[in-house]
Amino acid sequence: MPNPLLHPPVPRAGAGLQRRHLLAAGLAAAPWFPSAAADPERLRIGYQKSSTLMIFLKSRGLLEKALAPLQVNVQWHEFNSGLPLLEALNVGAIDVSADVADAVPPFALAAGARLTYYAIETPSPQAQAIVVRKDSPLTSVAQLKGQKVAFAKGAGAHYLLLEALAQQGLSIKDIEPAYLSPADARAAFENGSVGAWVIWDPFLAAVQRQSGARILQDGAKLSSYRRFYLAATPYAQRRADVLGVLYAQLQAAGDWIKKNPSQAAEWHAPVIGLDTATVEAANQRRSYRVQAVDAEALAEQQRIADAFSQALIIPRRVQVSESPVWRPDTAR
């Protein structure tokens, strides 16, 4: 069956020099942003290939049905990674984002984004990893010193790499970063242009099964890899009722996928263009448990933000506590 996922058109130029400088890598692959004018009867959702729960709702029309009593229509916009997704959220091109990795919000907040946290997926530390080719001589993170390493800037993979290097007494300055989208990184990885790749599921499961990639280090004991759902703050303030419906639908989708792993993989595989076994392997490493944003998750967000600012990867210290948090009880 044909892949129903949307394909992003050409990006629009100019979104502010400071923000463009910070998010240059992400914006290079970002889709064209439509008018920033918000329509209260239209919910514009940004998602990426790793946004399993949102893709589940999209493919089955479940959110459209659930929002019909509120007379809210749904529009879907696909992005290739989390950073351009949150950039679109910040400039008003979309209203809510599907899940992004834990490192992404601090980058967006450092660029001045007005974002509201509205849900998280509980930790899935093994759903991202540093990998090398099956014939690579590299056997430890310490051996990455001097190597070219591919990863998406501002992704959870970026923070995992930072922490893995620090554990070995190294820093990002000890490697040669190659800021690449997942598709470009896969090509560079397989042709030997980079020595290692830091990536998340389902791309991780795909390169393991299809290319025999070996894991040097996953997120265990380094990065919990919570995935965060965010909304544009003006939209969150105006449509708490819509977020309530979305939150409940995400919880139900996560429950179904974990309780029905084989059926979930059979549904998901053709939708994202992967084989069933690869998708099931990826899904086993994701928690898919959606819950309200709690103090522990926000504290980790602050630790991640501090790590990036101390490494001079983002230009200023981010105060995560200044960002609003939507709670399920506000939907009533």
Side-chain angles (χ1 to χ4, degrees):
M1 62 180 290
N3 191 328
L5 295 183
L6 304 175
H7 296 284
V10 178
R12 176 173 66 85
L17 291 177
Q18 181 179 5
R19 183 169 63 245
R20 185 169 60 202
H21 175 72
L22 178 64
L23 304 181
L27 283 174
W32 170 73
F33 295 156
S35 169
D39 182 349
E41 295 187 355
R42 177 182 58 178
L43 174 63
R44 299 166 299 171
I45 299 174
Y47 68 100
Q48 49 184 322
K49 197 169 187 177
S50 56
S51 302
T52 305
L53 303 188
M54 207 67 91
I55 292 172
F56 180 83
L57 298 180
K58 175 181 181 293
S59 69
R60 299 196 170 188
L62 297 174
L63 194 56
E64 286 83 351
K65 293 176 183 176
L67 288 172
L70 297 179
Q71 297 184 323
V72 173
N73 297 320
V74 182
Q75 292 184 349
W76 301 91
H77 303 273
E78 187 187 359
F79 294 75
N80 66 10
S81 62
L83 204 55
L85 196 167
L86 291 195
E87 165 68 2
L89 193 66
N90 182 40
V91 300
I94 58 175
D95 302 307
V96 301
S97 83
D99 51 307
V100 296
D102 45 16
V104 183
F107 265 79
L109 294 174
R114 294 181 62 208
L115 305 176
T116 293
Y117 292 88
Y118 73 88
I120 58 170
E121 284 181 26
T122 55
S124 303
Q126 294 179 317
Q128 58 176 353
I130 303 169
V131 297
V132 295
R133 292 181 299 281
K134 62 181 178 181
D135 59 351
S136 172
L138 303 179
T139 57
S140 70
V141 173
Q143 292 174 319
L144 293 178
K145 185 174 182 179
Q147 294 285 327
K148 182 180 286 188
V149 181
F151 57 95
K153 188 173 185 178
H158 196 162
Y159 179 66
L160 171 58
L161 177 61
L162 207 66
E163 290 296 289
L165 290 171
Q167 190 179 60
Q168 300 299 320
L170 302 174
S171 76
I172 202 78
K173 295 179 181 179
D174 292 305
I175 61 139
E176 184 181 347
Y179 300 124
L180 297 172
S181 69
D184 291 339
R186 173 77 182 260
F189 179 78
E190 293 188 336
N191 68 26
S193 297
V194 298
W197 182 20
V198 197
I199 191 57
W200 58 91
D201 278 322
F203 306 104
L204 172 59
V207 77
Q208 284 183 281
R209 292 182 58 82
Q210 296 166 5
S211 301
R214 291 188 289 108
I215 291 179
L216 280 188
Q217 176 74 63
D218 62 23
K221 300 181 181 179
L222 288 177
S223 172
S224 65
Y225 193 54
R226 290 176 176 86
R227 294 186 66 87
F228 287 80
Y229 294 79
L230 298 104
T233 293
Y235 189 86
Q237 292 172 339
R238 186 174 67 251
R239 297 308 305 256
D241 56 340
V242 172
L243 291 185
V245 172
L246 178 55
Y247 179 81
Q249 289 293 311
L250 289 168
Q251 284 189 314
D255 288 345
W256 185 86
I257 287 173
K258 294 308 285 187
K259 290 175 181 177
N260 302 277
S262 297
Q263 288 176 265
E266 289 173 3
W267 150 74
H268 198 192
V271 173
I272 61 175
L274 293 173
D275 63 276
T276 301
T278 295
V279 172
E280 188 162 3
N283 285 349
Q284 286 175 352
R285 292 190 286 230
R286 285 276 294 274
S287 75
Y288 293 131
R289 181 168 172 247
V290 176
Q291 66 178 37
V293 181
D294 56 20
E296 183 179 356
L298 293 175
E300 186 176 45
Q301 282 283 274
Q302 190 62 60
R303 289 195 297 274
I304 293 171
D306 290 345
F308 280 130
S309 61
Q310 289 165 10
L312 303 181
I313 295 170
I314 58 177
R316 66 181 181 88
R317 188 175 190 273
V318 168
Q319 193 65 43
V320 173
S321 61
E322 294 176 357
S323 297
V325 176
W326 175 89
R327 303 291 183 189
D329 56 7
T330 64
R332 299 191 186 100

